[in-house]
Amino acid sequence: MMGTRASGTVSVQRLPEWSSRRFDFGLTESQEARAAQLHRESIVFDFTARHAGSAIFDAYSPALRADLDVRLAAVRTAAQILDESLHWPFEMALQGKSALIREWLQGSGLTCGAYEILLHLPADAPDALSWEWDAQIRRYTQLPWLRLARTADDIRRAKRDGAVAWFANCQPIIPGPRDLKSFDVAHEKGLRTFMLTYNRMDHIGVGCTERVDAGLSMFGVEVVQRLNALGIIVDTSHCGHLTTMDACRHSKKPVTANHTLARSLYDHARGK
C-alpha cells in the first residue's frame, strides 16, 4: 500500500482484490489435490514479507478503513506512511477489532515471514528509533498466533501449532555502522539475516546499481566472517556481481540471494 500527501490528506492507492482468484494450470483433479497437500504440509518462507499485501486494506470494514485514513493523514513522510500501514493491521488485531491479518497470513499458507531489525549506530550508542521499533515489534508477540523465531526449531514448532513465525532480517538502506559489535547486539535482539549492501556503494561493499563494482571491502570481509561466527545468514540480494561473488568466496556458510532473479531470463540490475 502506497500513499502520497497532498492538500493535507493522504491519497491511498489500493490494489484490486486478487486473493480469491483461481488460476488454471491445466492440472487434473488428483494433481490439484496433491499440490494443495504439498502446500499445506510444506514450510513456506518469504524472506522479505512483513505484511499480507496491500489488497488486504479493501477487505476491512468502512469504519476501520476510515480509521486508517485518519492515521495516514497524520503522518508526513513516505517512510512514516509505510510504517503506519505495516503496523495498523496488527494493531487492529491486538485491539480485538479485526482478525483479518491472521486470516490472510494463515490462508496464504505462509509459515515464516520477516520483520526488520534496524542496524544504524554503534553498539555503545543505540539510536532511539531502533529501540522504539524493537519495542513495537515485541508488542505483537502478545498475539497468540504470531511467533518471533530465532531457530529452525522455532519455525517448525510454529508450523505444528498453526501459528505464523516471523524472523528478523536487515536490509541496510542506510549503510550499517563501522562497528562489528553492532552485529553482536543485533544478533542478541534476534537478527538472523543481513544483506551486505543495498543498491549503492558503502563501506561494506558495492550494490547492484553502482557505476563500478569493486566487490567487498576489507571491512566487508570482516563483516562476513562475523556473520558466520554469529550464525547470521549472509544475503546478497541487492549486491553487485563482484560483491556477491566475494561473499560466496569468503563465507564459510551458505549465502543467499533471497529476493532476486536469473539475469539470463530478464536483464535487471538485481539479477544474478
Side-chain angles (χ1 to χ4, degrees):
M1 178 177 181
M2 298 299 291
T4 56
R5 191 174 180 87
S7 304
T9 63
V10 173
S11 173
V12 179
Q13 298 175 334
R14 293 188 175 93
L15 296 179
E17 179 63 57
W18 53 265
S19 62
S20 61
R21 292 183 186 175
R22 295 181 61 85
F23 298 89
D24 184 5
F25 294 103
L27 302 181
T28 66
E29 186 175 341
S30 62
Q31 288 171 332
E32 287 277 9
R34 174 62 173 157
Q37 179 184 357
L38 286 172
H39 192 63
R40 285 194 305 272
E41 295 177 355
S42 296
I43 290 180
V44 180
F45 277 86
D46 189 326
F47 278 86
T48 58
R50 290 188 286 164
H51 209 289
S54 58
I56 191 175
F57 294 101
D58 279 335
Y60 283 97
S61 70
L64 289 181
R65 291 204 304 270
D67 173 81
L68 176 61
D69 289 341
V70 169
R71 291 171 183 249
L72 294 182
V75 298
R76 295 180 177 276
T77 67
Q80 290 172 327
I81 290 171
L82 176 60
D83 183 33
E84 189 69 52
S85 300
L86 287 171
H87 290 132
W88 180 79
F90 294 95
E91 290 294 332
M92 295 300 98
L94 275 175
Q95 295 175 27
K97 295 180 178 179
S98 174
L100 200 60
I101 186 69
R102 174 185 181 178
E103 294 167 6
W104 276 53
L105 288 172
Q106 293 185 324
S108 73
L110 179 71
T111 307
C112 186
Y115 68 99
E116 188 166 15
I117 283 183
L118 304 179
L119 185 70
H120 296 328
L121 297 180
D124 58 355
D127 55 299
L129 176 62
S130 175
W131 292 96
E132 179 183 344
W133 180 279
D134 295 339
Q136 195 167 18
I137 293 297
R138 284 196 298 273
R139 288 187 66 242
Y140 301 144
T141 61
Q142 299 173 43
L143 294 167
W145 53 270
L146 185 63
R147 311 279 179 83
L148 298 188
R150 297 193 175 201
T151 68
D153 280 343
D154 290 339
I155 298 167
R156 296 187 185 101
R157 193 174 302 113
K159 177 71 174 181
R160 289 195 300 268
D161 296 345
V164 175
W166 234 235
F167 87 107
N169 68 3
C170 180
Q171 295 192 67
I173 298 174
I174 299 173
R178 294 176 179 269
D179 181 0
L180 291 175
K181 292 181 180 178
S182 295
F183 293 94
D184 298 12
V185 173
H187 180 264
E188 285 295 317
K189 289 159 62 176
L191 184 67
R192 292 300 180 266
T193 296
F194 179 75
M195 189 171 70
L196 296 176
T197 67
Y198 203 63
N199 293 340
R200 298 295 184 92
M201 182 188 303
D202 63 22
H203 49 272
I204 291 177
V206 180
C208 62
T209 64
E210 190 55 84
R211 185 176 62 85
V212 296
D213 190 354
L216 286 175
S217 66
M218 292 299 292
F219 178 70
V221 172
E222 294 176 356
V223 168
V224 169
Q225 293 169 345
R226 181 60 65 92
L227 297 178
N228 283 174
L230 291 170
I232 298 175
I233 298 170
V234 175
D235 179 45
T236 63
S237 295
H238 283 255
C239 295
H241 175 70
L242 292 181
T243 305
T244 300
M245 299 310 295
D246 273 352
C248 294
R249 292 186 186 100
H250 290 283
S251 179
K252 303 301 182 184
K253 296 183 179 180
V255 170
T256 69
N258 62 49
H259 54 290
T260 185
L261 72 159
R263 190 173 291 174
S264 61
L265 298 179
Y266 184 78
D267 187 16
H268 187 278
R270 192 152 34 91
K272 303 298 179 189

